[in-house]
Amino acid sequence: MKNWFSEKYDVFMANSGVNAISLLSKTKVDLILLDYEMPGASGLQVFEMLKSEPSTQNIPIIFLTAKDDKDTVMKVLSAKPEKYLLKTMKPELLVRSVDDFFKGY
């Protein structure tokens, strides 16, 4: 996935929620793509931490995950991320979704 987005965007990756929060304390980003399933803390927990922290609360967050069961989708959407995208989407559709987000931002 990094390769798909790297053609148009600067991409930083973290392998856990804790590492993402650490990265974001040192790196300014315009958008966060957040998975639901991560080691240490769920994507929803990380989302809530980011939204409660003044330095990251205004960064838009799109969930990009393989979780497509109704309970998970409804739980995440109730937190109000910018979008909820599935990893199973074709690469060009995922990139287009991010492009469309920035066009409307």
Side-chain angles (χ1 to χ4, degrees), residues 24-89:
L24 291 166
S25 71
K26 299 176 264 182
T27 308
K28 182 176 177 354
V29 300
D30 298 316
L31 175 66
I32 298 168
L33 298 178
L34 185 61
D35 199 346
Y36 183 81
E37 295 183 308
M38 297 185 299
S42 76
L44 199 52
Q45 290 169 318
V46 172
F47 179 90
E48 290 166 356
M49 286 187 260
L50 293 170
K51 291 301 180 182
S52 68
E53 179 62 39
S55 64
T56 55
Q57 68 185 6
N58 293 320
I59 301 171
I61 298 174
I62 293 176
F63 271 83
L64 177 57
T65 184
K67 296 287 285 181
D68 62 355
D69 63 277
K70 184 178 178 180
D71 289 341
T72 301
V73 173
M74 296 310 291
K75 192 185 311 180
V76 170
L77 289 178
S78 71
K80 299 190 169 71
E82 300 300 320
K83 289 186 180 189
Y84 190 98
L85 302 174
L86 294 174
K87 290 180 178 180
T88 55
M89 293 171 65

Side-chain angles (χ1 to χ4, degrees), residues 14-23 34 38-42 46 49-50:
N15 60 1
S16 72
V18 172
N19 289 343
I21 290 168
S22 175
L23 172 73
L34 185 61
M38 297 185 299
S42 76
V46 172
M49 286 187 260
L50 293 170

